[in-house]
Amino acid sequence: MDELQKTASTASQEPTPPAVEAEQHDSACGQEEACEPVVLTGTVVSPGAALGHAQMFAEGDLGIPHFSIEKTQTRSEFTRLRAAVHTVDKEFEELLADLRQEEDVPPEAIAFLELHRQLLNDESVITETQDIIREKLINAEWALSLKLEETRRSFEEIEDDYLADRIEDIAQVIERVQRVLSGRRRPADTVSRMMSESSVILVAEDFSPADILILKRRRDLSITGLIIEKGATTSHSSILARSLEIPTLVHVNGACEHIKTDDVLLMDADKGIVTVNPVQENLPLISKRMSKSSTSRLRQRRLRSAHCVTADGCAVSLMANLALPEDAKEAMTNGADGVGLFRSEFLFMNRPDFPSEDEQFETYAGVVKTMKGKIVTIRTMDLGGDKLPSREAMESIGIDPDKPINNPALGNRAIRFCLKHTDLFLTQLKAILRAGATGRVRLMVPMLAWVSEADIVQSYVRRAQEELKDQGVPYAENIQIGGMVEVPSAALCLKQFLKRLDFVSVGTNDLIQYLLAVDREDPDVSYLYDPLHPAVLSTLYNCINTAHRAGKEISVCGEVAADPVFAFLLLGMGLRHFSMESARILSIKEFMLASSAKEAAGLMRRIHRASTIQDIRKHILEYFADHEELADGFAVSQVPCASPWQNVKGAES
Ligand code: PEP
Ligand code: MG
C-alpha cells in the first residue's frame, strides 16, 4: 500500500527537467518590469509547437484594469467605450454574415448572436455606464463591471427562469466589450514580429465539452494553442480539444497564476512545456520545431490516398471519429476509410431544445454525402455524465438540472438515457434510418452492459422502421446494428452480445475507466489510468479473439487507437479496424506502413507472459529501441495519450 502511494505521488508529477526547475519563478512579472521567463509543465493532449500571446479564457481571469480618472478624462473614456462597442458590433456583424452563408448552421446559433447584438446596442446600457464613469470617475472597463453587478442584482428579483438566465447573455456581451477595451497588444517587439499578429494561445482553468464545441465553431478566433490548468487527457473536453488540431496541454499546474493575458507564450507541447515570456535564445529552437512538424505533415499528406497495408502485407482500415458534422470534410481530407464513430450527442448540446427528426436526418444525410459512399457509423446519443443537454432542454423532458448526481459516469448515461426517454430515442433512430436510405449507414449503441439492452434496441429499431413504412418515408431496411464495448460486463459476455449485433467497437476511454475504477475526468487519479494495465490488455485481447471467432467485425475507437505504441499492440492482438480523430489518421498510417504485424504479434506474446507492468514496459521499450526507424516515425513526442513513453513508470499492477 505504502509502495503504491509512493509510486503514485511521484507518478502524478510530470518529470521536470532540471534546467526548467532552475528557471521557475514564484510569480508572473508586472506589465512594466522586464519579464523573466517562467516554465510550466503539463500533460500532452495534442502535440506540436506554438508561439503566441496568451488570452485568459475564464471570466474571472480577464484581468480587467481598474483605475481612477480625472474629471477631464471622462470624455475620452466615453469615446473608448463607444469605440469598443462599435468594434464588437462589427465583429458580430461579420460573424453573422459568415454564419448565414454557411450550410449546417443551426438557426439557434444565429438567433443567439442576434440576441447578443441587440443587447450590445441597447443604448441605455451605454448611457448608464457613462453615468457611472462620470459619477465615480473610473475607467470604462471598471464601470462596465459595476453596471453588470447592478444588472445582476435587478435580475435576481425576476421569477421567470428563462428571463433570469438572460443575465448570462448580458454578462457575455459586457465581457466581450471589456476584452476589446483592455485587450491592447503590447508594443511590437522581436517576439511579436516573429509570429502572426493573430496568434493566440488560450489559457483556462478548465473547459467543458460545451466550451470546446463553441471554440470549434468560432471562426473569428485564430487559436494556435490551448493550455488548461485542470483536465485529464481522456476527458471529453480533451478529446474535442484534440480535434481542434492545435498543440494542447492539460494539467498545467499554476497556469492561471503565472500567465496573464498578452504574455508571450512558447509552447512545446511535444514535451509538455510552456515558457511564459521566453528569452530570445529559445525562439530559433521552437521555430525549427514548428517547421519540422509542418514538414512531417506535408510528407504524411502524400499518403492520403495510399492503402494502409503493413510492411508484411496486412490490410488495416483507419476510420475517423467525428464530433460535429463538419468534421466529415476533414475526415475525407485525411483519407479516412469511413466514419467509425460519429458522436451524435454533441448535436444535442448548447441549444435550448432537442433537434427534430428532420433536422437530424439532414445532418446525418449531410455527413453521408460528404463521405462519398464510405461507411458512416452513427452512435446513438451518449448523453449523460459530462455531456449534458442545456438546462432548458433537460427541463423540457422532466429532468431537474439541479438534482445532484453522485456518480454521473455510472448513472443515467448513453443507452440508459435513451431507454428512459424513448420518444427522443425513436426520433433519433428514425432520423438515422432515413439517412441510411441515402448511403452506407451503421447504427451503434453506446455503453451496453446487459444483453437485454441489445434486444430492446432491436425492437425499437423495428418500431421506428414500421412507423417510417406507415408514413411512406424511405428508410434503411437492413441497417447494421453494432454496440460499443465500454463496460466490463459487455467485454466478459461479448459472445452473447455478438449473437445480437452485427459489429462491435471497443470504447477504451470508458472501458479503461470502468475496468480500473479510475474516473477519466479526474486529474487526481489520472496516474492510475494506464492502458497498459495487464487487465486492460488481456480484456482487449479476449474481445478481439472472441469477435474474430464469431466472424464479426471489431474495431477500437477510443483514444489509444491513435497512439502509435498502443496501435502496434492492437495490431499484434490481431485488430485490423481502428477509428480515431481525423488529424491522427495520416501519422498512424505512416506508422502502420512501416510496421510488421508479425513482429507486433511476437511482442504481444512476450507481453502476455510478463507478470508486471514494468516488464510490459520493458518489452515495449526494448522493441522500439531495436527499431529506431519506427520510433523515429512518431518521434515519441507525437504520442497523444497515456503511452509507455509518456506515462509514469512503475505503478505495480
Ligand atoms: C470511448 O469510451 O472510448 C469512446 C470512444 O466514447 P467516448 O470517449 O465518447 O465516451
Ligand atoms: Mg465512451
Side-chain angles (χ1 to χ4, degrees):
M1 180 67 174
D2 281 344
E3 237 350 86
L4 181 63
Q5 278 172 347
K6 210 169 110 207
T7 321
S9 68
T10 32
S12 63
Q13 290 156 10
E14 283 291 312
T16 310
V20 165
E21 262 170 8
E23 282 184 86
Q24 266 177 345
H25 289 261
D26 286 342
S27 63
C29 61
Q31 287 281 101
E32 307 304 332
E33 324 156 11
C35 294
E36 289 292 318
V38 174
V39 179
L40 306 168
T41 57
T43 308
V44 182
V45 164
S46 247
L51 183 63
H53 278 125
Q55 171 70 61
M56 303 307 291
F57 188 72
E59 192 184 351
D61 293 326
L62 256 176
I64 299 162
H66 286 39
F67 54 88
S68 302
I69 55 165
E70 297 293 327
K71 210 169 174 182
T72 51
Q73 292 173 304
T74 46
R75 285 228 154 269
S76 75
E77 283 309 293
F78 292 176
T79 314
R80 282 180 69 232
L81 176 64
R82 289 218 175 255
V85 169
H86 182 70
T87 307
V88 174
D89 189 47
K90 275 255 156 290
E91 284 173 10
F92 279 143
E93 191 183 338
E94 283 162 21
L95 201 57
L96 274 167
D98 284 352
L99 282 183
R100 285 192 182 111
Q101 276 178 9
E102 272 180 42
E103 292 169 11
D104 307 329
V105 175
E108 291 75 11
I110 294 180
F112 172 76
L113 267 181
E114 276 168 346
L115 168 73
H116 278 207
R117 199 165 172 213
Q118 245 173 358
L119 292 171
L120 176 76
N121 287 308
D122 180 346
E123 187 56 28
S124 67
V125 175
I126 302 176
T127 51
E128 283 162 24
T129 308
Q130 287 180 336
D131 290 346
I132 299 177
I133 295 175
R134 192 182 302 109
E135 275 162 32
K136 300 198 180 294
L137 291 176
I138 54 173
N139 63 320
E141 294 92 318
W142 191 356
L144 276 170
S145 293
L146 295 184
K147 174 73 203 140
L148 177 60
E149 253 176 65
E150 184 189 302
T151 317
R152 263 192 205 285
R153 276 196 299 276
S154 63
F155 266 62
E156 271 161 20
E157 280 142 37
I158 298 179
E159 277 178 11
D160 180 302
D161 284 351
Y162 178 79
L163 287 179
D165 284 348
R166 299 289 60 82
I167 185 64
E168 294 314 324
D169 292 306
I170 298 176
Q172 280 179 24
V173 172
I174 287 186
E175 235 178 65
R176 217 170 154 133
V177 177
Q178 285 176 317
R179 199 167 273 148
V180 170
L181 275 167
S182 60
R184 284 162 304 184
R185 291 263 151 84
R186 288 168 180 214
D189 51 21
T190 340
V191 174
S192 60
R193 257 185 269 129
M194 285 190 61
M195 56 194 220
S196 112
E197 188 43 40
S198 54
S199 293
V200 167
I201 294 179
L202 276 189
V203 184
E205 190 182 8
D206 207 359
F207 272 115
S208 66
D211 288 335
I212 310 260
L213 278 180
I214 293 169
L215 284 184
K216 250 173 102 65
R217 290 211 135 116
R218 287 267 316 253
R219 307 267 165 93
D220 60 327
L221 292 175
S222 168
I223 307 164
T224 53
L226 210 56
I227 295 172
I228 304 172
E229 175 148 352
K230 294 184 177 165
T233 49
T234 44
S235 70
H236 288 105
S237 301
S238 293
I239 291 169
L240 280 173
R242 208 166 280 137
S243 72
L244 296 174
E245 281 191 66
I246 52 174
T248 302
L249 297 177
V250 292
H251 212 180
V252 183
N253 281 333
C256 293
E257 183 192 339
H258 291 289
I259 305 173
K260 58 185 175 354
T261 292
D262 266 359
D263 274 342
V264 173
L265 299 181
L266 194 154
M267 268 179 98
D268 181 347
D270 293 348
K271 292 191 178 146
I273 295 175
V274 185
T275 312
V276 189
N277 299 315
V279 289
Q280 196 70 27
E281 296 83 76
N282 287 348
L283 300 178
L285 203 75
I286 206 81
S287 47
K288 204 165 138 201
R289 182 94 55 98
M290 281 155 98
S291 70
K292 193 174 165 207
S293 63
S294 65
T295 316
S296 57
R297 261 202 305 276
L298 277 176
R299 193 185 59 235
Q300 288 163 358
R301 224 166 263 165
R302 289 196 210 107
L303 301 175
R304 219 190 117 200
S305 45
H307 287 294
C308 185
V309 180
T310 60
D312 55 344
C314 280
V316 171
S317 116
L318 302 179
M319 314 255 268
N321 290 353
L322 312 187
L324 293 173
E326 48 266 40
D327 294 342
K329 281 193 199 118
E330 204 201 316
M332 288 299 278
T333 315
N334 285 296
D337 292 318
V339 174
L341 169 67
F342 177 8
R343 291 179 160 101
S344 72
E345 58 276 10
F346 291 120
L347 302 173
F348 295 74
M349 292 165 64
N350 286 342
R351 52 183 295 157
D353 55 1
F354 289 97
S356 67
E357 180 190 313
D358 282 347
E359 190 185 333
Q360 288 186 61
F361 162 67
E362 297 291 343
T363 305
Y364 304 144
V367 171
V368 173
K369 192 166 165 216
T370 309
M371 293 310 295
K372 296 196 166 78
K374 297 181 175 182
I375 283 180
V376 175
T377 312
I378 303 174
R379 170 167 85 181
T380 53
M381 53 195 145
D382 181 14
L383 286 171
D386 63 326
K387 290 184 282 192
L388 296 174
S390 67
R391 296 178 68 84
E392 294 93 326
M394 286 206 271
E395 278 161 357
S396 75
I397 54 167
I399 299 177
D400 173 3
D402 297 318
K403 186 178 161 206
I405 303 167
N406 284 341
N407 291 301
L410 302 181
N412 193 15
R413 194 190 146 184
I415 187 60
R416 302 168 184 183
F417 178 93
C418 289
L419 296 182
K420 272 235 160 111
H421 302 281
T422 48
D423 285 352
L424 286 180
F425 191 40
L426 263 177
T427 303
Q428 182 173 39
L429 290 178
K430 285 168 82 176
I432 296 174
L433 286 164
R434 284 172 60 190
T438 69
R440 295 172 72 196
V441 172
R442 306 193 296 189
L443 187 152
M444 185 160 75
V445 187
M447 221 184 149
L448 289 171
W450 297 80
V451 168
S452 58
E453 285 164 345
D455 291 332
I456 299 172
V457 168
Q458 309 262 11
S459 66
Y460 273 102
V461 170
R462 278 196 296 276
R463 188 165 143 198
Q465 285 171 324
E466 275 157 25
E467 285 185 19
L468 288 168
K469 191 173 177 189
D470 291 347
Q471 290 162 4
V473 179
Y475 64 92
E477 286 178 29
N478 295 309
I479 197 158
Q480 287 207 356
I481 303 176
M484 293 194 68
V485 182
E486 299 178 287
V487 181
S489 63
L492 288 166
C493 300
L494 191 59
K495 214 166 147 191
Q496 296 308 316
F497 279 95
L498 283 165
K499 288 185 183 153
R500 290 150 173 95
L501 299 168
D502 296 306
F503 66 96
V504 286
S505 189
V506 188
T508 44
N509 304 338
D510 278 316
L511 184 63
I512 297 169
Q513 122 164 305
Y514 297 130
L515 267 176
L516 304 183
V518 177
D519 184 346
R520 65 191 264 198
E521 305 279 337
D522 184 352
D524 286 345
V525 288
S526 57
Y527 67 95
L528 290 170
Y529 188 100
D530 194 332
L532 290 179
H533 192 294
V536 175
L537 295 180
S538 66
T539 303
L540 287 168
Y541 201 41
N542 291 340
C543 288
I544 293 168
N545 281 330
T546 308
H548 286 169
R549 274 200 298 274
K552 298 278 169 85
E553 181 189 301
I554 181 164
S555 60
V556 169
C557 61
E559 296 303 286
V560 295
D563 174 336
V565 172
F566 212 92
F568 191 72
L569 301 186
L570 292 170
L571 184 71
M573 295 182 202
L575 191 80
R576 298 293 178 260
H577 299 273
F578 296 72
S579 192
M580 63 198 71
E581 288 305 324
S582 302
R584 302 286 311 155
I585 290 178
L586 290 176
S587 61
I588 291 291
K589 191 188 269 187
E590 188 177 44
F591 176 78
M592 287 288 178
L593 292 176
S595 299
S596 150
K598 209 163 148 209
E599 289 188 12
L603 174 62
M604 263 324 293
R605 274 194 298 276
R606 291 195 290 285
I607 285 178
H608 220 60
R609 287 193 293 268
S611 50
T612 65
I613 200 153
Q614 286 92 339
D615 287 343
I616 293 175
R617 284 207 173 83
K618 200 170 104 249
H619 287 304
I620 293 171
L621 290 167
E622 271 170 16
Y623 180 82
F624 285 102
D626 287 347
H627 294 80
E628 269 178 19
E629 71 304 339
L630 211 50
D632 227 32
F634 59 85
V636 178
S637 52
Q638 287 182 30
V639 179
C641 66
S643 105
W645 298 103
Q646 269 183 18
N647 209 2
V648 295
K649 292 187 186 74
E652 193 73 57
S653 66

